[in-house]
Amino acid sequence: MKKPVNTQTKDKMPSPANADIRIGIALGSGSARGWSHIGVLRALEEIGIVPGIVTGCSIGSLVGAAYANQQLDALESWVLDLTWKNILGMMDLSFLEGGFIQGDKIIQSVRQFIGDSDIQSLPVSFATVATDLQNGREVWLREGNVLNSIRASAALPGLFSPFMLNGKWLVDGGLVDPVPVSLCRAMGAEIVIAVNLNGDLVGKHLQKKPIARIAGKITPESDKEPDLWSKISSHISGSVSGQKNTLLSQLLGHTQNNPGLFEVMASSINIMQDRVTRSRMAGDPPEVTLTPRLAHLGLMEFDQAEVAILEGRACVERMRPALDQIFS
């Protein structure tokens, strides 16, 4: 088992009594890059910043719920042990329900960290955001089953199936509010820390780089294993035959010099979320924005948690002067 990437001895999560209800943190969407939220929360805690209000979008809702349930230790240990084979085992493929993956197995896997209780019963105030598929409206999920709220908030269009909740088909909240700062303020936060995972991503999925920069280290691209989505594509293609095999290979990977379906979808979502985030933050700016530098990390590389967590810590350190000024 990999050891947590803390640089200090870990204690239990702060009790709700120690959390500052004036401080809110908005954890943004970003798929596998979202494991960096763990490093952010750890680093903030170590310098005495303990948010009493947590909002999340997509992967941010998962990490935020674990934090609000005081189970960040357990989640961190679990994600550090994830391998691509573990991840494949959690993927309930479904091509006829609005997405490649149904998502139920993933939710069952994280039940141990989130619990199966209502949002209102969590020790730390928590909420998440989703998008109403019918009318495009932003939906704030501040009560009800916490697992259902995460499932709805993380239903990335085209990849995960939409989720029916309270009579509405809901999809990823990143379509309308990738970093839910406004929700944080609506819950009473006077100081909001935003964690934006999409700030440096536009076009990066379509670039071929000679090197990869990982947590300050430079690794030759030729030494890297195929990314997780390539493994998933191979796994899916290997489970079918004939023309279906050829079709899926073309859809999920490159066809000569053309990008595959997932590359187009991922890059399009990056562009959209970057533009939406800029617009939302211009209208309601947070006091501090933390931006982990994880453009080298693919959306589906959930097995690279150590890289993401370390960069989450690093981005807090880069913004330490601004944090010290606000909280001094």
Side-chain angles (χ1 to χ4, degrees):
M1 177 184 291
K2 294 179 184 177
K3 293 183 179 180
V5 293
N6 259 351
T7 57
Q8 299 182 7
T9 303
K10 284 197 304 181
D11 297 319
K12 293 183 179 179
M13 289 294 299
S15 68
N18 293 331
D20 191 334
I21 60 172
R22 298 174 307 131
I23 303 173
I25 188 163
L27 304 177
S29 61
S31 295
R33 295 184 294 273
W35 296 147
S36 63
H37 291 317
I38 297 173
V40 167
L41 290 165
R42 292 285 189 209
L44 290 174
E45 173 192 340
E46 288 165 7
I47 61 176
I49 300 173
V50 183
I53 296 171
V54 182
T55 61
C57 178
S58 197
I59 187 68
S61 69
L62 170 56
V63 177
Y67 177 86
N69 198 36
Q70 299 183 290
Q71 292 296 319
L72 199 63
D73 285 357
L75 177 65
E76 182 178 8
S77 296
W78 182 71
V79 303
L80 286 170
D81 277 339
L82 278 180
T83 66
W84 68 270
K85 291 183 179 180
N86 298 143
I87 298 165
L88 286 177
M90 289 186 283
M91 293 189 174
D92 39 7
L93 300 178
S94 175
F95 296 97
L96 300 177
E97 297 189 21
F100 283 122
I101 301 167
Q102 194 169 1
D104 293 341
K105 285 187 177 180
I106 296 174
I107 291 299
Q108 292 305 316
S109 297
V110 302
R111 181 187 296 269
Q112 58 186 310
F113 317 113
I114 310 302
D116 201 10
S117 57
D118 287 341
I119 292 173
Q120 307 94 299
S121 67
L122 295 175
V124 176
S125 296
F126 171 75
T128 186
V129 61
T131 305
D132 189 327
L133 189 59
Q134 181 175 3
N135 55 33
R137 292 177 180 171
E138 181 176 349
V139 178
W140 288 353
L141 301 173
R142 302 178 60 174
E143 56 185 23
N145 184 271
V146 65
L147 288 173
N148 288 343
S149 72
I150 294 168
R151 174 66 181 82
S153 181
L156 188 67
L159 183 59
F160 291 101
S161 302
F163 187 72
M164 174 67 76
L165 185 64
N166 301 327
K168 300 177 180 178
W169 284 111
L170 301 181
V171 292
D172 198 305
L175 274 66
V176 290
D177 195 3
V179 187
V181 172
S182 298
L183 177 54
C184 235
R185 295 205 190 280
M187 294 173 67
E190 299 172 13
I191 300 172
V192 177
I193 302 169
V195 187
N196 179 17
L197 305 180
N198 299 304
D200 63 342
L201 295 176
V202 175
K204 297 297 175 66
H205 281 80
L206 302 182
Q207 295 177 6
K208 294 182 179 179
K209 300 179 182 179
I211 57 173
R213 299 181 182 274
I214 301 178
K217 299 179 182 178
I218 299 177
T219 304
E221 189 71 19
S222 58
D223 292 341
K224 288 185 68 183
E225 293 185 3
D227 62 46
L228 182 61
W229 185 254
S230 297
K231 296 172 183 176
I232 295 169
S233 303
S234 176
H235 173 74
I236 296 173
S237 298
S239 65
V240 295
S241 60
Q243 294 182 347
K244 290 183 179 179
N245 192 342
T246 302
L247 176 61
L248 282 173
S249 296
Q250 292 174 344
L251 288 174
L252 302 176
H254 276 82
T255 58
Q256 297 180 351
N257 294 322
N258 299 329
L261 170 64
F262 186 74
E263 287 181 291
V264 172
M265 184 175 70
S267 293
S268 299
I269 289 172
N270 286 340
I271 292 169
M272 176 202 67
Q273 292 192 347
D274 177 59
R275 298 301 183 262
V276 172
T277 301
R278 289 170 186 262
S279 176
R280 295 295 299 253
M281 286 192 177
D284 189 3
E287 277 63 38
V288 179
T289 300
L290 304 176
T291 308
R293 297 169 182 169
L294 290 169
H296 56 273
L297 201 62
L299 264 69
M300 295 297 293
E301 293 186 282
F302 290 99
D303 57 337
Q304 298 298 313
E306 184 172 5
V307 170
I309 293 171
L310 285 171
E311 175 53 24
R313 286 180 163 277
C315 80
V316 172
E317 188 60 31
R318 288 193 297 270
M319 293 298 293
R320 183 68 182 270
L323 290 166
D324 286 344
Q325 183 176 10
I326 290 172
F327 292 101
S328 59

